[in-house]
Each structure stands twice: as C-alpha cells, then as structure tokens.
Amino acid sequence: MQPWSDIASTAFGTLCVVSALPFVGIAFPNQSWADYYADKKKWMALRTGGRLTAKQAGYAGALLRLAVGLCCVYRPTRLAALTANGIVVCYGTVAAYQNSRPMRPQWTMLSAMGLSFTKSPRDPGCPRIYLHMPTWNIFKGSPTGFLGYFDVVNVLLTTMAIKYN
C-alpha cells in the first residue's frame, strides 16, 4: 500500500504546487486558469471583509497551496497536511456553494484529497482519523459518541449553517 500512497500523495502535492502559479497571476497551464484564479482572488478578498486585497489573497492562497503540496510529498507531514487542507477546502466548498461559485474545482480537490487519504497507511505515531457524517437531533440531548470530542470541520460547517440560514 505504501507505493500507492506515495504515488497518490506525490501527484496531489505536485498539483497543489503547480496550482499556486495561477494564484499569483502566472497563466499556467493556460490563460483560462489565470482568469479563474484572478476571479477567485477577488472573491477570497471579499470573504475576508476587506482585510486583504485581491493580490494579498492570491499570495495567501499560493502560499497555502505551496505548503500543502510540499507537505503532501514529504511522508512524515502528509496526513497533517491533508487534514489541515481538508478543513480549508470543506469551508471553501460550503462558502463557494452559498455564493454560487464554480463547484467543479471544489469537488476535484475533495476527491483528490480523499484518494490521498485512502491510500495513506496509518502511521503508528499518528492518531487514527475517522471521517464520518453523524446525525444529531439537538432537541434530544447529545449522543454519547459526541461527548468529549471536538470536530473542527463539523463546528465550522455548523457555524456557517447557523450564520447563513
């Protein structure tokens, strides 16, 4: 399983590094990518409430993609990078959906991360990561499986659902 993990994660990491180029305005692999990311930078800047300009948002996006890509290639930091990127991409996917943004890039990124996760063997020194989508009737109290756990992704998504609905 380790060779497949290396292949999947190295391919995903390389794509992350390459996708940093359009974030900073380099038309790679073609102009349509640069146009998409130019629009995405403006949208990301709006999401910050004016704290970042489109150019700053582009550099922030490029740095994040570069960091995630390099960490995915390097085996000891792979699962941490995929997990951190998963939080960012899940938040971005919900925000993109709510703002009627293109969803294909989001689903592609989530699928690539899922493939990298499934091909990564469990490192004995790394805690086991369980990805699940439980349901909870908030009027019937907390299920025992929820007590004592803090799931950042679920908290972010719940906060957004309450905020925007």
Side-chain angles (χ1 to χ4, degrees), residues 108-127:
T108 303
M109 181 71 85
L110 287 170
S111 299
M113 287 181 348
L115 179 64
S116 294
F117 266 128
T118 59
K119 297 301 178 191
S120 294
R122 184 175 179 277
D123 181 355
C126 185

Side-chain angles (χ1 to χ4, degrees), residues 22-23 25 31-43 54 101:
F23 258 119
Q31 187 60 41
S32 67
W33 283 63
D35 295 341
Y36 169 79
Y37 279 98
D39 186 47
K40 185 171 184 164
K41 291 187 296 192
K42 291 176 191 170
W43 178 73
R101 306 293 300 165

